[in-house]
Structure formats: structure tokens, C-alpha cells
Amino acid sequence: MDLKQVLHMNGGNGEEGYANNSLLQKKVISMTKSLRDEAITNVYRNTKPKSLGIADLGCSYGPNTFLVIAEAIKAVEKFCQEQKQKSPEYKVFLNDLPGNDFNNVFLSYDAFKKNLISEVKTQMSPLYFFGAPGSFYDKLFPNKSLHFIHSSYSLQFLSKVPEGIDNNKGHIYWAKTSPPNVLKAYLEQYKADLSFFLKCRAEELVEGGRLVVTLIGEDPVNKDRGYIWEIMSMGLNDMVKQGIIKEEKVNTFNIPLYYPSLAEVKKEIDTQGSFDINYLETSQVNLAELDNWDDLDFTSKKPESLKDGGYNMENSFRAVAEPMLTGHFGESVTKEAFNRFLKHMADQMPKDKRPKLTNITMSLIRKAF
């Protein structure tokens, strides 16, 4: 499985596409707005660049893609208005893996720019946009070319499936019944990836540049690192028992994800050493609350399942997981696997509530070196 080709969200504007199933991600972005505003305002105040470099890593596509960028620019414009000074020009880089639906992103650019200018209501300096396809586990930008880097709900993905987990039979991710070496392998891969991610970003940022990241973390109460993937594996194992797919096909598939604890993240930041921690905390999102969250603003036509503003958990999970599953099992098997996932989900999920997701949010300042 070539992760650079399959590790992306479902494209298009259909009912199962990411654009119409990113309400959770938008909620998380809204929760960190004040932190991002503080970060980009401070880096601009301290560096006073004529050209401000901004990057969003794992931008995906859809209504959230331009949201963080718009809010960052508006925060700087507000500061410049208050200080009665000319605003900088903006160089904005949108990054994701090559399989991302970049066509959808760039088709939305003109509308985004027009709306942003009308909302700012001042004479903005030039605004330049660039696509930056590639893995954020590689160097993406020239040294000291950026002032502010943001990433939301992307850094839990690994650069590759950990090595040495061939004995994780019957599972597609780490489970509580997996052999002890499996969790260790996932942790070691995450540490290596996070360390290199921080190294690359430190080289790309100017001194004092800011890095703001939110990712899904370990449930601190239940110590759960991905029960939803175990539910998916139940359906796949049912298909093995019925002879629909071979057991080897399941045993050779593992999800390249890791949901770290807060302590694991802090330790790796400290060990890598390129950043000072300005903020590092956890928060939770109760998925049930999304049913009544009224800040839904999809730019594309809403499918029937979203017209009431409700949160469709199955479609949201499908938008993330389907490309990976299809790349390994094929389209027909994946479709049936999701049908079984729904059944097991109904059996496993408490009827009176939906689960909570734990987020880890960090705001880091690039040290002088």
C-alpha cells in the first residue's frame, strides 16, 4: 500500500466525500481560534516581515481548507489596523499528500479571496497562494521561509505502518488484545515521525516562528487508542470466517495511525529540542454535541443526511478510512466492510450517548539556533 497515494480523504462533493463530512474537524478548528490568533499576531509583532509566510499542513479540501488561513490573515489585518500600519503581503502554502483533491481546493480560491477581502474591509496587501503536495514528514519549504505553520487533525497519521507487527493478527490497528510489541512498535514509529516533523518545521520557520498543531490523542480515562478501528476489524474478521476474504488479507493490513498521550508528545518535543512550549493541553469533543451545533457552513450542496445539521458519524469515518481500505481490499470488499461496521457500531455503541474524542493542542515557538 503506497501511503502517499491512499492516505487522503474521500474527494468530491458527494454524500460520502470529506467536504460534507468535516463538521467535527470544523468544531475542533473553532476551539483553537484564540490560540492561533495569539500565535500569528505575536510572531508578526515580533518579526515585522514585509512578506508573511503561512502554511497549513494536511489541508485536505472543503469548507475547512481556507478557514484557518482566513482567520490568520484577519488577525494580522486587525492588528495592523489597530497599530495604524501597512499590512504585509501574504504567502500562503496549502500542503497535503498528492492524492488530495487539490482541484476542489483551487476551484474554491476565487470565492474565498473575494469573501476575505469583503470581510476585512481594508486595503489588503497582495495575497499569494501555492499548493505544496508532499508528506509533512519531509522538508517542504526553504529554510526560514515561514512565520506561522498550522496543522489540525493530521499529525496522528504516521509516515508508514510500523515495522515488526506481523503478529498483530485479526486486528487492523493496536488493540488491547494485541501482542505487547505492537504498541511499542507504534510508539517508536510515532516518536521518530514527530521528531523529524519538528526538525523539518524548525528549519522552515524563522527564529521565533510559531507552530500550532491539534491532533487526536489517547483517551486519558480509558487509555483507548482507537476503539473504532477495532469495530471495523470485527466486520473484516466476519468476512474472513465466511470465506469472502482471506485471513492473510486482514493480517497484512494495519492502519498507519497513532493516538499519543499528552506525556508522550511533551517528552518528544523536549527531546527534539527545537521548540519552546507556549501551550500544550488536552481537550475533549463530545460527538453528541455536534448534532445541535449550528455553525455548519458547507459551501457545496448538502446531502440529505446533513440538511438537519446533524453529525453523521459513519460517513465521517468513511471519508477518512475508505481510501486506505479500498487501496488494500478493493472497492467491493470495502463497501461490504462498512455495511458490517454499521451493524457492529450499533451493537457496541451505547444507545444513550456518543463517544468523546480527546484532542492534544500545542503552540510552539521556534528557538534561536
Side-chain angles (χ1 to χ4, degrees):
M1 180 171 61
D2 185 352
L3 293 184
K4 289 187 177 182
Q5 296 303 317
V6 302
L7 201 56
H8 60 83
M9 306 301 105
N10 270 346
N13 289 318
E15 185 172 352
E16 296 169 358
Y18 179 78
N20 283 319
N21 292 285
S22 52
L23 180 58
L24 168 62
Q25 289 82 351
K26 184 174 184 181
K27 175 65 174 178
V28 171
I29 289 172
S30 75
M31 292 168 63
T32 59
K33 181 181 184 303
S34 60
L35 188 70
R36 296 194 311 273
D37 287 354
E38 179 274 331
I40 195 165
T41 300
N42 273 281
V43 73
Y44 177 72
R45 178 193 292 119
N46 295 332
T47 58
K48 291 293 193 304
K50 292 182 179 180
S51 183
L52 186 66
I54 302 171
D56 190 60
L57 309 185
C59 67
S60 192
Y61 79 101
N64 297 335
T65 299
F66 292 110
L67 179 58
V68 170
I69 301 303
E71 291 178 343
I73 292 173
K74 285 190 281 188
V76 175
E77 288 292 314
K78 180 182 178 182
F79 174 80
C80 291
Q81 290 174 37
E82 293 171 348
Q83 300 298 312
K84 294 181 172 50
Q85 63 187 46
K86 188 179 186 303
S87 61
E89 68 176 16
Y90 299 96
K91 296 180 299 186
V92 177
F93 301 88
L94 299 178
N95 156 261
D96 215 312
L97 291 172
N100 182 53
D101 192 348
F102 279 104
N103 284 340
N104 238 313
V105 172
F106 295 124
L107 285 172
S108 305
Y109 171 68
D110 286 341
F112 157 76
K113 187 175 180 180
K114 182 178 179 181
N115 290 337
L116 177 62
I117 292 173
S118 67
E119 290 173 3
V120 171
K121 298 179 181 178
T122 59
Q123 186 62 44
M124 284 180 55
S125 294
L127 171 62
Y128 304 101
F129 262 75
F130 307 89
S135 170
F136 52 55
Y137 291 121
D138 288 322
K139 187 84 176 295
L140 290 166
F141 311 104
N143 287 349
K144 299 181 181 180
S145 61
L146 298 175
H147 299 84
F148 178 76
I149 299 176
H150 171 264
S151 182
S152 184
Y153 266 35
S154 296
L155 205 58
Q156 65 269 10
F157 288 99
L158 300 173
S159 66
K160 64 178 183 178
V161 174
E163 298 178 359
I165 58 171
D166 297 339
N167 59 337
N168 194 32
K169 300 185 184 302
H171 305 292
I172 62 173
Y173 183 55
W174 176 82
K176 291 181 179 179
T177 55
S178 294
N181 68 288
V182 175
L183 179 58
K184 182 179 179 182
Y186 267 100
L187 174 58
E188 291 303 314
Q189 184 62 52
Y190 182 77
K191 288 165 60 178
D193 283 346
L194 179 56
S195 178
F196 194 66
F197 173 89
L198 294 172
K199 178 181 181 295
C200 291
R201 305 297 80 82
E203 293 175 358
E204 296 161 350
L205 283 166
V206 300
E207 180 182 333
R210 300 290 287 265
L211 172 64
V212 176
V213 174
T214 299
L215 66 151
I216 302 174
E218 174 196 57
D219 182 333
V221 176
N222 299 318
K223 302 298 180 183
D224 183 80
R225 296 181 188 260
Y227 73 94
I228 199 166
W229 300 104
E230 190 62 12
I231 293 176
M232 174 59 74
S233 71
M234 292 178 184
L236 291 169
N237 285 320
D238 288 345
M239 296 169 74
V240 169
K241 293 175 183 177
Q242 295 170 12
I244 300 173
I245 53 177
K246 294 182 179 180
E247 183 177 11
E248 182 185 4
K249 202 69 174 173
V250 176
N251 291 341
T252 55
F253 179 73
N254 286 282
I255 297 292
L257 277 169
Y258 186 73
Y259 303 119
S261 69
L262 186 68
E264 289 168 350
V265 172
K266 184 179 186 306
K267 182 177 180 181
E268 206 52 46
I269 295 171
D270 291 339
T271 300
Q272 198 280 324
S274 296
F275 291 90
D276 288 319
I277 298 174
N278 180 63
Y279 179 92
L280 179 62
E281 298 290 343
T282 61
S283 62
Q284 286 195 320
V285 177
N286 189 330
L287 299 187
E289 295 174 357
L290 296 178
D291 285 335
N292 300 313
W293 192 46
D294 60 5
D295 192 23
L296 186 63
D297 183 25
F298 289 113
T299 56
S300 57
K301 183 179 178 183
K302 299 176 191 176
E304 293 296 325
S305 62
L306 289 171
K307 284 186 178 178
D308 61 355
Y311 176 66
N312 188 318
M313 186 172 179
E314 184 263 336
N315 273 354
S316 298
F317 180 60
R318 181 190 290 267
V320 175
E322 191 166 45
M324 289 185 286
L325 290 164
T326 301
H328 184 80
F329 294 103
E331 188 173 345
S332 61
V333 169
T334 299
K335 183 177 180 180
E336 177 60 23
F338 271 101
N339 291 336
R340 294 168 185 254
F341 168 79
L342 280 177
K343 180 181 181 303
H344 284 293
M345 198 69 163
D347 294 338
Q348 298 289 325
M349 191 71 67
K351 300 297 187 293
D352 59 337
K353 64 179 181 179
R354 283 180 178 170
K356 295 180 180 180
L357 281 181
T358 298
N359 299 322
I360 296 175
T361 300
M362 65 188 84
S363 179
L364 309 179
I365 305 173
R366 193 267 213 185
K367 294 179 181 178
F369 55 85

